[in-house]
Amino acid sequence: MKKMKKWLLLLSMFGLVFLLTACGTGDVSTSSTGLWDRYIVYYFGQAIKLLSFGKNYGVGIILFTIIIRIILMPLMHYQTKSMRKTQELQPKMKELQEKYASKDAETSRKLQEEQQRLYSEHGVNPLSGCLPMLVQMPIMMALWQSISRTPELRTGTFLWLELGKIDPYYILPVLAAVFTFASTKLTSMGQLEVQGSMKVMNYMMPAMILFMGINLASGLSLYWVISNGFQVIQTLLINNPFKIRNEREAEAKRKKDLEKALRKANQPKKKR
């Protein structure tokens, strides 16, 4: 049921974003109407132009992306803490699943109630892992429209790119997919147990990014490269999975040594 809710949330999120963006046509300006065009897409474009020193709009997209990622850091930190709490509850969740193993409706209802009670007692939101994506999807779509519907950005260039067109060499889409995979992989490495849905997302998200990157404006691929590259660095610095794994292994070794010492102490001494 929990997995179903996550997938429904993701599908609803994609549906909402595409509903918001499907009606957007033509360039945006101060005369544009509607909340999406006038106050989101237009001001995204203006912010990028303001950050584009020397009218280098690629630099503007990079700086804009870094600012967005810094703003989202508390949200990402909350997601990481919530995921850790969820992982710590897994042994108790398994106990509940074994206790209510029957598939009849009444037992399933009791299992869901007990799971919700357990989450509430420990302050865990099982859907918190979807929250950063829920926030970032509208940002991504607004950025894409601001690039394609702002003349200066649409015709702007950066290195070998024309920001309003696809990357002719597919370098940025591939880099974006690689950084996306690295980000999701590092996140899953820090977990005690990787669930099936997480394993699927580890490969599905990079594939989606690659597919969209080779079909949409290269300015959007540039955003993905910087955004996911930032996420990789942030994870390694703040929530380093290698450090977490070493700490867990050290803790497991201490517990094992303590149990061994207790068993040895409780063994009857041999008479001489």
Side-chain angles (χ1 to χ4, degrees):
M1 187 65 179
K2 185 178 69 173
K3 292 180 181 179
M4 181 66 70
K5 287 182 178 180
K6 285 186 177 182
W7 286 111
L8 286 175
L9 178 61
L10 288 173
L11 291 174
S12 300
M13 176 187 65
F14 278 101
L16 175 62
V17 170
F18 283 107
L19 179 64
L20 286 172
T21 58
C23 300
T25 58
D27 294 344
V28 290
S29 65
T30 53
S31 61
S32 298
T33 59
L35 174 65
W36 180 256
D37 285 359
R38 177 65 180 86
Y39 295 102
I40 299 179
V41 177
Y42 173 73
Y43 280 114
F44 266 47
Q46 294 304 303
I48 294 172
K49 287 165 63 176
L50 183 65
L51 294 169
S52 301
F53 300 104
K55 294 186 177 181
N56 191 328
Y57 299 116
V59 171
I61 292 174
I62 292 172
L63 294 177
F64 180 82
T65 305
I66 293 173
I67 291 172
I68 292 294
R69 293 299 310 192
I70 291 173
I71 293 172
L72 291 177
M73 280 183 71
L75 180 63
M76 302 303 294
H77 183 61
Y78 166 76
Q79 177 201 24
T80 302
K81 287 177 62 178
S82 184
M83 289 176 66
R84 282 189 184 179
K85 287 182 179 180
T86 304
Q87 285 292 309
E88 290 170 359
L89 290 180
Q90 287 306 306
K92 294 183 179 180
M93 293 294 289
K94 287 184 176 180
E95 290 178 5
L96 288 176
Q97 290 169 358
E98 291 174 0
K99 182 179 179 181
Y100 299 99
S102 179
K103 300 299 182 181
D104 62 275
E106 181 63 20
T107 305
S108 298
R109 183 185 63 80
K110 288 182 179 179
L111 175 61
Q112 291 179 26
E113 289 178 354
E114 289 296 316
Q115 288 176 334
Q116 290 300 322
R117 182 185 59 79
L118 190 62
Y119 285 136
S120 298
E121 288 178 353
H122 292 81
V124 173
N125 182 356
L127 297 178
S128 61
C130 300
L131 188 58
M133 187 180 295
L134 186 65
V135 173
Q136 289 185 74
M137 280 298 295
I139 293 174
M140 180 193 72
M141 300 307 292
L143 177 67
W144 170 51
Q145 287 216 349
S146 68
I147 294 170
S148 60
R149 299 176 64 192
T150 303
E152 297 92 334
L153 301 182
R154 185 171 62 243
T155 59
T157 58
F158 179 68
L159 300 177
W160 69 92
L161 306 166
E162 188 171 338
L163 297 173
K165 297 182 179 179
I166 63 172
D167 182 349
Y169 305 113
Y170 304 126
I171 295 175
L172 286 187
V174 171
L175 282 177
V178 169
F179 280 127
T180 302
F181 176 78
S183 175
T184 55
K185 185 66 175 178
L186 287 171
T187 300
S188 64
M189 283 174 61
Q191 299 183 23
L192 288 169
E193 181 181 349
V194 182
Q195 299 178 354
S197 58
M198 186 65 181
K199 291 179 180 179
V200 172
M201 291 298 289
N202 283 347
Y203 295 97
M204 189 175 76
M205 284 303 296
M208 289 175 58
I209 294 294
L210 179 61
F211 175 76
M212 289 189 285
I214 63 179
N215 287 284
L216 298 176
S218 60
L220 185 59
S221 293
L222 180 60
Y223 167 80
W224 277 323
V225 169
I226 303 303
S227 180
N228 290 314
F230 186 99
Q231 177 65 25
V232 169
I233 295 172
Q234 178 182 329
T235 301
L236 289 173
L237 291 178
I238 301 176
N239 302 297
N240 192 315
F242 300 103
K243 181 180 178 181
I244 293 173
R245 179 173 291 181
N246 289 337
E247 289 174 352
R248 285 174 179 162
E249 290 177 352
E251 180 64 23
K253 186 177 184 300
R254 282 195 295 269
K255 288 182 178 179
K256 187 176 180 180
D257 291 342
L258 179 60
E259 291 173 356
K260 184 178 180 181
L262 289 173
R263 285 196 302 268
K264 185 176 181 180
N266 292 329
Q267 286 178 354
K269 295 182 179 179
K270 295 181 179 179
K271 296 181 179 180
R272 293 182 179 180

